[in-house]
Amino acid sequence: MRRAVLALPLLSATAALAEGNPWGIAGELDITHDSNVLRAPTGGAVSDTIFSAGLRGQLDQGIGRERLRVNALLEHNRFQNQRALDNLSHEVTVGLSFEPGNLVFGELNLRNARNLANRTLQDGRVLTQGNLERQTQTTLRLSKGVVSTWTLVGGFDAFQRRESEAAYALSDLSYHSLDLGVRYQSTPELRLTALLRRSQGEYPNLGSGDDYSRNDLELRALWEPTGASQVDTRLVWGNSDHSLSTIRSGTQWSGAVSWTWQATGKTRLLARAARYSDTGARDIGIGSTDIVKNYNDALIRTTVDVGARWRATGKILLEATASRSQRSLSASLQSGTASSTGSDRSHTLQLAVSYQALRNLQLACQAGRESRSISGNVAGRSFPYSSTTFGCSVQAWLR
């Protein structure tokens, strides 16, 4: 559901299993007030309060040379006034790390989730019924050591997104990709990777259906100039071919650079800048604090994120993040004719504090602000809005 999401990493932080105990079960209660619960355009905001009760489980178990990790969350979300948005959400992730020998390493990850999403269409039409977005994803990564400094790497990724309401079906997406490359690391401080990737996907409900294929060359450098800082750089040259949204066909480039710094034993800082030109696939799981999900309606998207985490005491953790995102929009992605273009800019600010009252009991409060403005001729592809959220939660673990 769409609420102050900064609390999630804070809650996950407390989910670290007790030493020697591979499993844990937690109950969660959360109350959040949202000044624009439907994410309606400026002037049409409706506020509401959301009550959530959830059950979380974790497993982290070594099995010989393998390791199994399971995280599961089941949550009932009830709206005080907008009862049509009441929903039961869930998210389950399963990860298996394995090492069959002969310098071969692998990791398999599975994810299945259902959450409330996209409550206002991109053209500004407000629909009061709840739209449940279902996501499934499978990721497999393999590596094979060749010599001391070179490693062969490869992987497979498959993703599917489906919306429960027909009005949101344009965002339905299926894709899969294969990649193969090499990694070079001569020192512990610097790791270089080059990958070739082939992706194929489909927006089945975009017009008569938009099939696409994409070939990418990805270069990545991970550098740790000091023991307390890390710089991660990614550059991608891609060529796409679309059957319907032909305006997207051609060569594009994407990239991202992030910097993390453990300034002191209590303070951690993060800065990140990114540009996305790929189609739908990279709009999920990219780690950005840009919480406005955009799927098939942006030609180019750039984001800048900054964040800070400060552990005031052994029990108190404060976190703040800010994000700015700009999209280059076309009103004619389906026809492939760039007859009218514009852009929008989204800003988010999130603050959170958590208190570890007991080893198995955590309290957290968070507040967030979202806003979006438009410029140029977006022709129904975007709209301005703003929203303020705040709330508190409690999480109790049994380990």
Side-chain angles (χ1 to χ4, degrees):
M1 61 178 298
R2 194 187 282 273
R3 55 182 174 173
V5 298
L6 189 63
L8 296 182
L10 295 176
L11 295 178
S12 299
T14 62
L17 301 180
E19 185 176 356
N21 192 350
W23 62 271
I25 299 175
E28 301 180 2
L29 295 175
D30 182 288
I31 179 170
T32 302
H33 182 78
D34 194 324
S35 68
N36 186 1
V37 71
L38 295 171
R39 294 302 182 270
T42 301
V46 176
S47 64
D48 208 342
T49 301
I50 307 101
F51 303 90
S52 302
L55 184 65
R56 183 184 296 271
Q58 285 193 337
L59 174 67
D60 190 342
Q61 177 68 61
I63 308 172
R65 302 173 71 176
E66 285 67 51
R67 191 158 201 90
L68 176 65
R69 298 179 179 88
V70 180
N71 290 273
L73 173 65
L74 180 64
E75 191 172 51
H76 176 67
N77 306 293
R78 180 171 178 174
F79 290 72
Q80 184 174 16
N81 299 315
Q82 303 293 319
R83 299 303 301 276
L85 300 179
D86 291 354
N87 67 91
L88 186 67
S89 63
H90 75 264
E91 180 166 2
V92 179
T93 60
V94 179
L96 176 65
S97 302
F98 53 93
E99 185 182 345
N102 198 25
L103 296 180
V104 175
F105 303 89
E107 186 167 348
L108 174 66
N109 292 286
L110 308 173
R111 176 178 178 267
N112 182 276
R114 182 182 71 171
N115 290 285
L116 189 67
N118 294 14
R119 295 196 288 273
T120 297
L121 301 179
Q122 287 295 326
D123 61 8
R125 285 182 290 149
V126 179
L127 300 183
T128 57
Q129 63 266 37
N131 172 62
L132 292 176
E133 181 176 281
R134 300 172 183 267
Q135 295 185 5
T136 57
Q137 188 168 17
T138 301
T139 304
L140 174 65
R141 303 301 306 169
L142 297 171
S143 65
K144 162 68 175 173
V146 181
V147 293
S148 59
T149 57
W150 292 93
T151 304
L152 294 176
V153 294
F156 170 78
D157 191 19
F159 175 77
Q160 184 181 80
R161 178 177 60 231
R162 291 293 183 265
E163 314 291 342
S164 64
E165 295 293 327
Y168 304 93
L170 294 180
S171 293
D172 286 355
L173 169 66
S174 300
Y175 81 86
H176 62 271
S177 66
L178 285 169
D179 61 72
L180 182 65
V182 294
R183 184 171 65 227
Y184 176 76
Q185 185 171 5
S186 60
T187 67
E189 296 80 19
L190 181 62
R191 184 169 66 191
L192 304 175
T193 305
L195 289 174
L196 290 175
R197 180 184 299 107
R198 170 70 174 182
S199 304
Q200 290 186 296
E202 176 191 18
Y203 284 97
N205 300 312
L206 184 62
S208 58
D210 180 31
D211 299 315
Y212 72 87
S213 61
R214 181 179 173 105
N215 297 311
D216 289 319
L217 169 62
E218 177 177 326
L219 304 176
R220 184 175 181 181
L222 186 63
W223 179 41
E224 297 183 7
T226 69
S229 62
Q230 183 181 86
V231 179
D232 190 351
T233 304
R234 174 177 173 263
L235 184 64
V236 181
W237 286 274
N239 184 274
S240 299
D241 183 29
H242 287 254
S243 63
L244 182 63
S245 298
T246 54
I247 188 176
R248 291 182 176 275
S249 299
T251 302
Q252 307 92 11
W253 69 270
S254 304
V257 57
S258 64
W259 170 71
T260 56
W261 179 35
Q262 190 70 40
T264 69
K266 294 184 176 182
T267 305
R268 184 175 180 85
L269 304 176
L270 164 70
R272 182 174 182 272
R275 166 191 164 102
Y276 306 104
S277 63
D278 31 13
T279 308
R282 297 291 173 180
D283 284 346
I284 52 95
I286 57 179
S288 173
T289 57
D290 172 17
I291 64 175
V292 182
K293 303 294 186 191
N294 309 303
Y295 297 136
N296 60 338
D297 54 357
L299 294 174
I300 300 294
R301 182 156 60 96
T302 58
T303 66
V304 176
D305 307 317
V306 293
R309 174 178 289 188
W310 178 49
R311 184 164 291 282
T313 70
K315 293 187 174 183
I316 299 176
L317 178 66
L318 292 91
E319 197 169 13
T321 59
S323 175
R324 182 187 189 276
S325 175
Q326 178 167 322
R327 296 186 299 167
S328 173
L329 303 171
S330 172
S332 307
L333 287 181
Q334 291 189 37
S335 66
T337 303
S339 57
S340 59
T341 58
S343 64
D344 64 13
R345 289 165 300 282
S346 300
H347 297 84
T348 66
L349 175 64
Q350 298 183 63
L351 305 172
V353 58
S354 65
Y355 174 62
Q356 195 74 36
L358 300 171
R359 188 176 68 90
N360 292 332
L361 179 66
Q362 187 195 52
L363 308 175
C365 290
Q366 60 279 330
R369 173 71 177 178
E370 301 176 37
S371 64
R372 185 165 69 193
S373 60
I374 62 174
S375 62
N377 183 8
V378 298
R381 302 308 299 166
S382 185
F383 57 90
Y385 80 92
S386 63
S387 174
T388 300
T389 59
F390 56 88
C392 291
S393 62
V394 58
Q395 185 181 75
W397 281 89
L398 173 64
R399 296 185 174 97

